[in-house]
Structures are given as C-alpha cells and as structure tokens.
Amino acid sequence: MFTGIIESAAKVMQVRKENTNLHLSLRCDLTAELKIDQSVAHNGVCLTVVAIDGDQYTVTAIEETLNKTNIGDLKEGAIVNIERAMKMNARLDGHIVQGHVDQTAICTQAENKDGSWIFSFEYDQKLNNVTIEKGSICINGVSLTVVYSKTNSFSVAIIPYTYEHTGFKTLSQGDKVNLEFDVIGKYVKRLMNL
C-alpha cells in the first residue's frame, strides 16, 4: 500500500526488452535504501526491485502491466515518480493507493495559473471509472484532489512544491499518464451495481 506522496524522482538509465517483459534500470537518491523483493511505486505502478547494482536498481514490468500503464512508453533519461510502500505506523498524508493502475489518461491541458497549475485529463469511459469533485485521484503515483469532474475528464490543481518535486514539471498536453481511482469509490460503485 502507498500514500501517493512522492519520495523521490528516479531517472531511467536503461530499458531492456526480454520476450514480453521490460526491464528498467533506474537511478535515484533512495537506491542505497532499497532491497531486492521490495515493492516500489513507479509513476503509481507497484513494481518489485529485482536487482541492485551500485547506485542503480532494476524492476521488471510484465505484459499485463505494459498493456495497462505508461511504463512501456518510458525511454532512457525519463524521470519517474518514486514511492516506497507505506509503513503501517506512519501518517497517511495522501490517500490509500494500491499501486494498481486502473487505466491511462491523456493530458488535455496544462495551464499556468501564476503560482499554481491546472492540469486536465481525459480518459476512456468504457471502463466505468469515475471521479468526483474534491475526491481523490492518483496520477502517475501522485495523490491529488479533483477540482473539476465530468463524465470522462477531470482537472487537478498543482501547488508549486508538487510541480517542482514530481514529474508534473515535464508533463505536457498529449502525454499519457497512469490513473488509479479512489479505492473506496471503486468499492461503493461496485456495491451499487450489484
């Protein structure tokens, strides 16, 4: 389980295909604290550390993950939002995030509001995911509050700290992002459809 509060940014150092799998080697300031078999969220995708070599570590994404996330789009030099799993005795500063991406969305607008930013996204409604205003959403692993919500689109407001310390500073119109919708909302929606 994660909180959506990003700990660090990792740089993709190598991307290697093996059959239908993709191995990513990354470098970040947390590498020395990582362990093999540890779960780490990468742009909101829970991946297992499979190797550590000096200041780099490697994770593997399988076909299922590549089909449902933006992990397969990563290239060498890309910056990835990183969060280690939550400690059970820690504060839940974001919201409950599982690291299981529901679907991707496309950034339709990135608007500078002279001290903050409004980012808008559009997603495929066929999967029946929903957002609500003032509800939680996880975008590329970042826990955020929805400020505007429509049937298949929504917007979030980004404060300067979040903009500077996450991948939002490199996000632009047309980019694909990972979405994890609020887990409580997903269970309520499922129960209402029974």
Side-chain angles (χ1 to χ4, degrees):
M1 184 189 319
F2 303 93
T3 67
I5 302 300
I6 302 304
E7 288 186 88
S8 185
K11 183 176 182 179
V12 177
M13 304 305 292
Q14 183 183 45
V15 178
R16 185 173 56 86
K17 288 270 301 172
E18 180 185 25
N19 300 320
T20 59
N21 298 335
L22 189 69
H23 304 288
L24 299 170
S25 294
L26 304 105
R27 177 184 293 147
C28 78
D29 56 5
L30 297 176
T31 302
E33 300 175 41
L34 299 179
K35 295 180 234 167
I36 292 175
D37 285 340
Q38 185 173 5
S39 295
V40 178
H42 296 76
N43 276 356
V45 181
C46 181
L47 297 171
T48 301
V49 176
V50 296
I52 300 172
D53 184 12
D55 63 352
Q56 294 184 36
Y57 69 96
T58 303
V59 294
T60 300
I62 62 172
E63 186 174 20
E64 170 76 5
T65 302
L66 298 173
N67 288 339
K68 293 190 175 173
T69 71
N70 68 5
I71 294 295
D73 298 337
L74 294 174
K75 307 283 187 238
E76 289 181 11
I79 301 300
V80 179
N81 295 324
I82 300 297
E83 180 189 359
R84 292 175 290 178
M86 183 179 124
K87 293 181 180 179
M88 291 308 290
N89 64 345
R91 290 189 192 330
L92 181 59
D93 289 326
H95 72 281
I96 297 170
V97 177
Q98 296 178 303
H100 304 156
V101 170
D102 295 303
Q103 69 183 100
T104 58
I106 299 298
C107 179
T108 57
Q109 186 176 23
E111 184 181 359
N112 186 331
K113 300 295 272 183
D114 194 27
S116 66
W117 291 261
I118 300 289
F119 284 85
S120 299
F121 301 91
E122 190 171 294
Y123 59 94
D124 185 351
Q125 184 56 32
K126 285 187 257 179
L127 296 177
N128 295 318
N129 290 308
V130 296
T131 59
I132 60 168
E133 290 184 14
K134 306 303 179 256
S136 297
I137 187 76
C138 192
I139 303 172
N140 277 352
V142 182
S143 173
L144 296 163
T145 301
V146 174
V147 293
Y148 305 110
S149 176
K150 294 183 181 174
T151 302
N152 68 329
S153 64
F154 67 93
S155 299
V156 293
I158 305 294
I159 64 172
Y161 183 89
T162 301
Y163 185 84
E164 287 299 323
H165 291 88
T166 69
F168 273 95
K169 66 183 167 216
T170 61
L171 189 64
S172 59
Q173 187 174 347
D175 288 348
K176 185 194 303 183
V177 297
N178 296 323
L179 298 181
E180 182 180 331
F181 293 84
D182 181 60
V183 68
I184 297 168
K186 288 189 285 190
Y187 278 110
V188 170
K189 187 172 188 328
R190 177 63 185 258
L191 288 170
M192 297 297 287
N193 290 333
L194 291 178

